[in-house]
Amino acid sequence: KAGVTQTPRYLIKTRGQQVTLSCSPISGHRSVSWYQQTPGQGLQFLFEYFSETQRNKGNFPGRFSGRQFSNSRSEMNVSTLELGDSALYLCASSLAGTVAGELFFGEGSRLTVL
Amino acid sequence: DQQVKQNSPSLSVQEGRISILNCDYTNSMFDYFLWYKKYPAEGPTFLISISSIKDKNEDGRFTVFLNKSAKHLSLHIVPSQPGDSAVYFCAASNYGQNFVFGPGTRLSVLP
């Protein structure tokens, strides 16, 4: 069964630009979460989508947004990029709604903002 | 306010010895705990988990212990191998939702 797929794997942008990252979850998984990883900061939760609805949101500014489509694929968008947005953005999917659930991560999209 | 804490940013262990990684949490609503392992430039991969109704779960060289009264869990790796060198994240969830991750502990296993 195919894993979580994230595209693009690497991208370089300049300050002020915007970026859209894509995530295809494992087939049958309806929950998709996004995390930001920066050196020394661990995994910071951005938001979670379930059945096309944002169910949870982390403490990130409104420049960070996302959406989920009817096929559970998800996109996240960052507008007006800042240098501090350089990070590895990880998408994870899960079945959700079961106690013994776990997250399955993609390999991430490495964003560099110059 | 960090709900999941890993107070040791790094840990070095000799090959063959035991590695003990610790994690503390504050939210008593968490009912499921997981450990993830992450290599550079890769996504985290699931390692082992434990439900709040248990106090120990073992899988090969990996054992997770949960002390609910202390809101503490630990991951034991024995014997440690150089391939275990990675960043380990502790995570907690409530009924499969609201996964919260700790900041990670970088484990270095020295040959």
Side-chain angles (χ1 to χ4, degrees), chain A residues 67-80:
Chain A
R67 58 178 175 168
Q68 186 180 33
F69 302 95
S70 59
N71 61 358
S72 293
R73 190 177 72 83
S74 176
E75 288 182 348
M76 69 162 279
N77 183 276
V78 188
S79 61
T80 320

Side-chain angles (χ1 to χ4, degrees), chain B residues 80-99:
Chain B
S80 301
Q81 300 173 354
D84 296 329
S85 297
V87 177
Y88 289 79
F89 292 99
C90 168
S93 76
N94 177 27
Y95 201 70
Q97 299 181 36
N98 300 324
F99 287 86

Side-chain angles (χ1 to χ4, degrees), chain B residues 65-103:
Chain B
F65 295 91
L66 174 63
N67 182 333
K68 279 184 63 179
S69 60
K71 294 192 179 68
H72 175 83
L73 63 155
S74 61
L75 174 68
H76 292 209
I77 307 173
V78 55
S80 301
Q81 300 173 354
D84 296 329
S85 297
V87 177
Y88 289 79
F89 292 99
C90 168
S93 76
N94 177 27
Y95 201 70
Q97 299 181 36
N98 300 324
F99 287 86
V100 180
F101 284 80

Side-chain angles (χ1 to χ4, degrees), chain B residues 10-74:
Chain B
S10 63
L11 174 68
S12 291
V13 171
Q14 209 67 37
E15 181 179 4
R17 307 294 291 267
I18 184 171
S19 295
I20 300 176
L21 296 94
N22 293 303
C23 176
D24 297 287
Y25 62 96
T26 57
N27 189 340
S28 57
M29 296 299 292
F30 289 140
D31 55 18
Y32 194 61
F33 305 89
L34 312 92
W35 285 93
Y36 282 81
K37 176 179 177 179
K38 186 180 185 302
Y39 293 117
E42 293 183 12
T45 54
F46 171 74
L47 197 57
I48 192 169
S49 63
I50 188 167
S51 162
S52 60
I53 62 173
K54 292 182 153 186
D55 55 19
K56 177 182 174 182
N57 188 25
E58 198 169 350
D59 183 3
R61 297 185 297 114
F62 303 91
T63 303
V64 57
F65 295 91
L66 174 63
N67 182 333
K68 279 184 63 179
S69 60
K71 294 192 179 68
H72 175 83
L73 63 155
S74 61

